[in-house]
Amino acid sequence: MIIKDTPEEWETRASVTPFTGAKTSVRTDDVVMPDGSVARRDYQVHPGSVAVLALDGQDRVTVLNQYRHPVRQRLWEIPAGLLDVPGENPLHAARRELYEEAHIKAEDWRVLTDLYTTPGGCDEAVRIFLARELSEAEDERYAVEHEELDMAVTAVPLQDLVRGALAGDLHNNCLVVGVLALVAARAGDGLDALRPADAPWPARPFEV
């Protein structure tokens, strides 16, 4: 048996969009089930995101501490952001987010892993990059606003983040998946065996 996710699309009898926001929307589809019945499914339509696990020469990860209103918590996260336009190259977006949120640039980029955040209720796809050979960005710092006005940025040892994730102290999905994927990659074929930064991404196709 090959354990691999595969494309499939069931018949949709009707589809409406009852809400459209600035970046995302809500869609309601009437989907034909295997027994011929029709079930209504509501889900968020999302442009997709990128996240960056930036690892320095001391085995520390760049993390942000930011207020997240839906969960009423300040979360430790890795730099991340939306794909601004359909078909945007995810590596370009990742470089932008690392610069804007942490004022860092990186010379070595790999795809760490791809995931769907909440496939039962949202079509958001995220590509998590591993960025190494870090240095401070040379341009002026990006002008922040809203929640980012109160955002702290620091570097934390990788093993501290692993312990925090397994202890239930850290909850951001990209941070948790990213640090555990990094540890798994090191224990497996090594970081140089990770996919190149421009590897295809069927969930959000792009031009290299």
Side-chain angles (χ1 to χ4, degrees), residues 1-180:
M1 179 184 295
I2 298 176
I3 306 299
K4 182 178 180 180
D5 297 338
T6 55
E8 184 168 318
E9 186 171 355
W10 292 1
E11 180 185 355
T12 300
R13 291 279 175 85
S15 182
V16 296
T17 304
F19 170 79
T20 300
K23 296 292 185 180
T24 66
S25 60
V26 174
R27 183 175 297 162
T28 299
D29 289 348
D30 291 338
V31 184
V32 179
M33 298 290 111
D35 64 357
S37 63
V38 176
R40 180 156 291 177
R41 294 290 178 261
D42 303 315
Y43 59 99
Q44 183 183 19
V45 178
H46 194 284
S49 306
V50 293
V52 184
L53 195 151
L55 185 70
D56 69 15
Q58 297 173 269
D59 217 36
R60 301 178 304 176
V61 176
T62 298
V63 291
L64 324 168
N65 187 245
Q66 186 172 357
Y67 174 68
R68 291 302 189 181
H69 187 70
V71 295
R72 308 306 199 269
Q73 290 195 36
R74 294 188 67 94
L75 300 181
W76 287 101
E77 307 178 351
I78 57 177
L82 300 176
L83 296 172
D84 284 347
V85 295
E88 181 178 15
N89 187 306
L91 177 58
H92 297 171
R95 291 184 188 276
R96 179 185 68 236
E97 295 302 328
L98 186 60
Y99 159 69
E100 291 182 358
E101 295 193 339
H103 201 64
I104 288 174
K105 64 180 181 179
E107 299 301 323
D108 185 275
W109 290 82
R110 305 272 176 159
V111 174
L112 188 53
T113 191
D114 300 324
L115 66 143
Y116 292 111
T117 55
T118 48
C122 179
D123 71 350
E124 180 183 13
V126 179
R127 169 157 282 187
I128 303 177
F129 289 91
L130 172 64
R132 294 179 291 174
E133 298 180 25
L134 310 181
S135 61
E136 185 175 355
E138 298 167 355
D139 299 329
E140 293 185 8
R141 289 188 176 273
Y142 180 75
V144 298
E145 59 181 358
H146 305 310
E147 288 89 348
E148 293 180 350
L149 290 168
D150 192 38
M151 183 173 68
V153 182
T154 190
V156 175
L158 173 64
Q159 286 304 317
D160 289 354
L161 298 176
V162 172
R163 282 191 289 268
L166 297 179
D169 295 330
L170 301 172
H171 304 89
N172 176 263
N173 57 356
C174 290
L175 185 150
V176 172
V177 171
V179 299
L180 297 182

Side-chain angles (χ1 to χ4, degrees), residues 181-191:
L182 177 59
V183 171
R186 280 179 167 172
D189 295 330
L191 301 186

